[in-house]
Coordinates of all heavy atoms in Angstrom, one line a residue:
K1 N 0.9 -1.2 0.0 CA 0.0 0.0 0.0 C 0.9 1.2 0.0 O 2.1 1.1 0.4 CB -0.8 0.0 1.3 CG -2.0 -1.0 1.3 CD -2.8 -0.8 2.5 CE -4.0 -1.7 2.5 NZ -4.9 -1.5 3.7
P2 N 0.4 2.4 -0.4 CA 1.2 3.6 -0.3 C 1.8 3.9 1.1 O 2.9 4.4 1.2 CB 0.2 4.7 -0.7 CG -0.8 4.0 -1.6 CD -0.9 2.7 -1.0
S3 N 1.0 3.4 2.1 CA 1.5 3.6 3.5 C 2.9 2.9 3.7 O 3.7 3.3 4.5 CB 0.5 3.2 4.5 OG 0.1 1.9 4.2
L4 N 3.1 1.8 3.0 CA 4.4 1.1 3.1 C 5.5 1.9 2.5 O 6.6 2.0 3.1 CB 4.3 -0.3 2.5 CG 5.6 -1.1 2.6 CD1 6.0 -1.4 4.0 CD2 5.4 -2.4 1.8
M5 N 5.2 2.5 1.4 CA 6.3 3.4 0.8 C 6.6 4.5 1.7 O 7.8 4.9 1.9 CB 5.8 3.8 -0.6 CG 5.7 2.7 -1.5 SD 4.9 3.0 -3.2 CE 4.7 4.6 -3.3
A6 N 5.6 5.1 2.3 CA 5.8 6.3 3.2 C 6.6 5.8 4.5 O 7.5 6.4 4.9 CB 4.5 6.9 3.6
F7 N 6.2 4.6 5.0 CA 6.9 4.1 6.2 C 8.4 3.8 5.8 O 9.3 4.2 6.6 CB 6.2 2.8 6.6 CG 6.9 2.1 7.8 CD1 6.6 2.6 9.1 CD2 7.8 1.1 7.6 CE1 7.2 2.0 10.2 CE2 8.4 0.5 8.7 CZ 8.1 0.9 10.0
A8 N 8.6 3.2 4.7 CA 10.0 2.9 4.2 C 10.8 4.2 4.0 O 12.0 4.3 4.4 CB 10.0 2.1 2.9
A9 N 10.2 5.3 3.4 CA 10.9 6.5 3.2 C 11.3 7.2 4.6 O 12.4 7.6 4.7 CB 10.0 7.5 2.4
A10 N 10.3 7.1 5.5 CA 10.6 7.7 6.8 C 11.7 6.9 7.6 O 12.6 7.5 8.2 CB 9.3 7.8 7.7
A11 N 11.6 5.6 7.5 CA 12.6 4.7 8.1 C 14.0 5.0 7.6 O 14.9 5.0 8.3 CB 12.2 3.3 8.0
E12 N 14.1 5.1 6.3 CA 15.4 5.3 5.7 C 15.9 6.7 6.1 O 17.1 6.8 6.4 CB 15.3 5.2 4.1 CG 16.6 5.4 3.4 CD 16.5 5.3 1.9 OE1 15.5 4.9 1.4 OE2 17.5 5.7 1.3
A13 N 15.1 7.7 6.1 CA 15.6 9.0 6.4 C 16.0 9.1 7.9 O 16.9 9.8 8.2 CB 14.5 10.1 6.1
L14 N 15.3 8.4 8.8 CA 15.6 8.5 10.2 C 16.6 7.4 10.7 O 17.0 7.5 11.9 CB 14.3 8.3 11.0 CG 13.3 9.5 10.8 CD1 11.9 9.2 11.4 CD2 13.9 10.8 11.4
D15 N 17.0 6.6 9.8 CA 18.1 5.6 10.2 C 19.3 6.3 10.6 O 20.0 7.0 9.8 CB 18.3 4.6 9.0 CG 19.2 3.5 9.4 OD1 19.3 3.2 10.6 OD2 19.9 2.9 8.5
G16 N 19.7 6.2 11.9 CA 20.9 6.8 12.4 C 20.7 8.3 12.7 O 21.7 9.0 13.1
A17 N 19.5 8.8 12.6 CA 19.3 10.2 12.9 C 19.2 10.5 14.4 O 18.8 9.7 15.2 CB 18.0 10.6 12.2
E18 N 19.5 11.7 14.7 CA 19.4 12.2 16.1 C 18.6 13.5 16.0 O 18.9 14.5 15.3 CB 20.8 12.5 16.7 CG 20.7 13.1 18.1 CD 22.0 13.5 18.7 OE1 23.1 13.1 18.1 OE2 22.1 14.2 19.6
F19 N 17.5 13.5 16.8 CA 16.6 14.7 16.8 C 17.4 15.9 17.4 O 18.0 15.7 18.5 CB 15.3 14.4 17.6 CG 14.5 15.6 17.8 CD1 13.7 16.1 16.7 CD2 14.4 16.3 19.0 CE1 12.9 17.2 16.9 CE2 13.6 17.4 19.2 CZ 12.8 17.9 18.1
L20 N 17.4 17.0 16.8 CA 18.1 18.2 17.3 C 17.1 19.2 18.0 O 17.2 19.6 19.1 CB 18.9 18.9 16.3 CG 20.0 18.0 15.7 CD1 20.7 18.8 14.6 CD2 21.0 17.6 16.7
H21 N 16.0 19.6 17.2 CA 15.1 20.5 17.7 C 13.9 20.7 16.8 O 14.0 20.4 15.6 CB 15.7 21.9 18.1 CG 16.5 22.5 16.9 ND1 15.9 23.1 15.9 CD2 17.8 22.5 16.6 CE1 16.8 23.5 15.0 NE2 18.0 23.2 15.5
Y22 N 12.8 21.3 17.3 CA 11.7 21.7 16.5 C 12.1 23.1 15.8 O 13.0 23.8 16.3 CB 10.4 21.9 17.3 CG 9.9 20.6 17.8 CD1 10.1 20.2 19.1 CD2 9.2 19.8 16.9 CE1 9.6 19.0 19.5 CE2 8.6 18.5 17.4 CZ 8.9 18.2 18.7 OH 8.4 17.0 19.1
L23 N 11.4 23.4 14.8 CA 11.6 24.8 14.2 C 10.3 25.4 13.8 O 9.3 24.7 13.5 CB 12.6 24.7 13.0 CG 12.3 24.1 11.7 CD1 11.4 25.0 10.9 CD2 13.5 23.8 10.9
S24 N 10.3 26.7 13.7 CA 9.2 27.4 13.1 C 9.8 28.6 12.5 O 10.7 29.3 13.0 CB 8.2 27.8 14.2 OG 8.7 28.6 15.2
V25 N 9.3 29.0 11.3 CA 9.9 30.1 10.5 C 9.1 31.3 11.0 O 7.8 31.3 10.8 CB 9.8 29.9 9.0 CG1 10.3 31.1 8.2 CG2 10.6 28.6 8.6
P26 N 9.7 32.3 11.5 CA 9.0 33.6 11.9 C 8.2 34.2 10.8 O 8.5 34.2 9.7 CB 10.2 34.5 12.3 CG 11.3 33.6 12.6 CD 11.2 32.4 11.7
K27 N 7.0 34.6 11.3 CA 6.0 35.3 10.4 C 5.4 34.4 9.4 O 4.9 34.9 8.3 CB 6.6 36.6 9.8 CG 7.1 37.6 10.8 CD 7.7 38.8 10.2 CE 8.2 39.7 11.2 NZ 9.0 40.8 10.7
T28 N 5.5 33.1 9.6 CA 4.8 32.2 8.6 C 4.2 31.1 9.5 O 4.3 31.0 10.7 CB 5.9 31.5 7.7 OG1 6.7 30.5 8.5 CG2 6.8 32.5 7.0
R29 N 3.6 30.1 8.8 CA 3.0 28.9 9.5 C 3.8 27.7 9.2 O 3.4 26.6 9.3 CB 1.5 28.7 9.0 CG 0.6 29.9 9.2 CD 0.0 29.9 10.6 NE -0.6 28.7 10.8 CZ -1.1 28.3 12.0 NH1 -1.0 29.0 13.0 NH2 -1.7 27.1 12.1
V30 N 5.1 27.9 8.8 CA 6.0 26.8 8.5 C 6.5 26.3 9.8 O 7.0 27.0 10.7 CB 7.2 27.2 7.6 CG1 8.2 26.1 7.5 CG2 6.7 27.7 6.3

């Protein structure tokens, strides 16, 4: 299912990752 592709993409991107912080761009909703 498409959810498997999304799960695989997130797993690959986060493999070995360390969370640093949240961000928000001033004067936007980003």
Side-chain angles (χ1 to χ4, degrees):
K1 286 185 178 180
S3 54
L4 179 61
M5 295 173 6
F7 180 82
E12 182 178 348
L14 293 171
D15 185 25
E18 178 185 346
F19 175 77
L20 298 177
H21 54 79
Y22 291 101
L23 70 78
S24 60
V25 177
K27 300 179 183 172
T28 72
R29 300 278 302 171
V30 174

